[in-house]
Amino acid sequence: MIKASLGERVFDICNSIIMVLMIILTLYPMLYILFSSLSNGNRLVSFNGILLWPQGFSLAAYKAVLNNPVILTGFKNTLFILAVGLVINMTLTALGAYFLSREGVMLQKPIMFFIVFTMFFQGGLVPFYLIVKSYGLLDSLWALILPTAVSTFNLIIMRTYFMAIPKELEESAFLDGAGHFTILFRIFIPLSMPVVAVLILYYGVGHWNSWFNAMLFLRDQSLFPIQLVVRNIILENDNASMLGTTTLLHSRDVTETLKYAAIIVSTAPILLLYPFLQKYFVKGVMVGALKG
């Protein structure tokens, strides 16, 4: 066994200390929100210092959030955007990646140049708004789905992954009479599940956390996704609209903890989904980055 030198031990100790500090800095804001959401509102307001556990214990804020129709409508809208958006995202990304990964495609390099060009140069917010308006998508959930149907970054990842699949598989399929759609959906996609899982995670997190486009394109509050609802609660301190429909209107304990409970409820689903896709995450991204 090779004995570590003094410099190596000092390096390892410094690395460990930095990693512990980074973990604390990353986890504490999440734990603070969780502990605050479980606390008694009056005790939380009077507490000063670093919050390491709930101040008292109360689930009243969660009951108010989960029984509120505004939150439930936000969840319904977000789930629609997530389900329909993911189907459109993955279908168009797979078709585009397959087309751009084939050899001998006419004008392939110029097409790739213009696609990559859009990653660095965009028209700006006003032209983007005018384009969405010209298609009649304002005040529609489609305004949150169609303009972001394909991500250039994700398209390049999937194209790179497809290019690494052996050509012999495609040639054998052609000899057996398969067409391009058969090759794509029955050979390429099953062989590309790691990168498919990664892109589902990318697109899914993007849809779940998206609120800016909703704020820009939606006026009807019944169409607001969950993140925009939570954003309004936090920034505009709009707790009264949530408490007004509950029997907890008289309770001051709920008012302070309500925004923390709303944050937990709105982020919990995507946090629970991540561990199931994490094993594909590193593998999919790394394999997709091997060949450019």
Side-chain angles (χ1 to χ4, degrees):
M1 180 178 178
I2 300 176
K3 187 176 181 180
S5 66
L6 177 62
E8 290 173 335
R9 290 199 295 270
V10 172
F11 181 77
D12 290 340
I13 292 172
C14 291
N15 266 346
S16 300
I17 294 174
I18 292 173
M19 288 301 299
V20 170
L21 290 175
M22 291 180 65
I23 291 172
I24 293 174
L25 291 174
T26 303
L27 285 181
Y28 182 70
M30 300 173 65
L31 293 176
Y32 178 86
I33 294 174
L34 177 62
F35 294 154
S36 298
S37 68
L38 296 172
S39 298
N40 177 285
N42 290 331
R43 292 184 59 179
L44 181 65
V45 171
S46 60
F47 177 78
N48 291 318
I50 299 176
L51 190 65
L52 297 178
W53 49 79
Q55 297 301 303
F57 181 80
S58 173
L59 295 176
Y62 284 97
K63 292 179 182 177
V65 168
L66 295 176
N67 288 329
N68 192 278
V70 177
I71 293 289
L72 297 180
T73 302
F75 268 118
K76 184 188 70 175
N77 294 331
T78 297
L79 290 176
F80 175 82
I81 295 168
L82 188 65
V84 177
L86 276 179
V87 172
I88 294 175
N89 291 145
M90 295 308 300
T91 302
L92 295 182
T93 301
L95 291 173
Y98 178 78
F99 170 76
L100 294 170
S101 65
R102 301 302 86 210
E103 293 182 352
V105 173
M106 185 179 296
L107 300 176
Q108 186 184 56
K109 289 186 177 179
I111 293 173
M112 275 305 300
F113 171 79
F114 285 113
I115 290 175
V116 174
F117 186 84
T118 63
M119 288 182 63
F120 304 101
F121 302 98
Q122 300 177 3
L125 187 59
V126 174
F128 180 45
Y129 178 85
L130 293 176
I131 289 174
V132 174
K133 182 181 179 181
S134 67
Y135 283 100
L137 297 177
L138 292 183
D139 241 0
S140 164
L141 292 180
W142 294 106
L144 312 183
I145 298 173
L146 296 181
T148 56
V150 177
S151 162
T152 305
F153 180 73
N154 294 344
L155 176 67
I156 292 174
I157 290 178
M158 181 166 276
R159 170 183 176 267
T160 306
Y161 201 101
F162 283 173
M163 292 175 68
I165 294 176
K167 304 298 180 190
E168 291 77 9
L169 288 175
E170 183 181 353
E171 293 171 357
S172 299
F174 274 127
L175 290 176
D176 290 337
H180 286 291
F181 283 102
T182 301
I183 294 172
L184 172 60
F185 291 105
R186 300 189 65 177
I187 297 177
F188 276 49
I189 295 296
L191 292 175
S192 307
M193 290 315 293
V195 77
V196 169
V198 170
L199 297 192
I200 288 176
L201 184 63
Y202 280 168
Y203 281 124
V205 171
H207 285 306
W208 192 271
N209 290 334
S210 177
W211 61 270
F212 183 76
N213 285 355
M215 185 184 69
L216 193 65
F217 300 129
L218 301 180
R219 294 294 176 268
D220 186 353
Q221 294 191 6
S222 66
L223 298 175
F224 283 3
I226 184 65
Q227 297 298 341
L228 185 57
V229 173
V230 174
R231 181 255 181 197
N232 290 341
I233 293 172
I234 296 173
L235 295 186
E236 299 175 8
N237 203 22
D238 188 19
N239 293 332
S241 63
M242 296 188 63
L243 291 171
T245 58
T246 72
T247 58
L248 299 171
L249 180 61
H250 61 283
S251 176
R252 293 179 55 196
D253 293 347
V254 180
T255 306
E256 183 61 27
T257 57
L258 193 61
K259 55 189 176 185
Y260 299 112
I263 293 173
I264 294 296
V265 169
S266 65
T267 55
I270 203 69
L271 290 177
L272 294 176
L273 177 64
Y274 181 78
F276 296 100
L277 297 176
Q278 193 272 339
K279 63 180 180 181
Y280 299 110
F281 190 75
V282 175
K283 182 180 178 182
V285 172
M286 292 302 294
V287 174
L290 289 178
K291 187 175 180 181

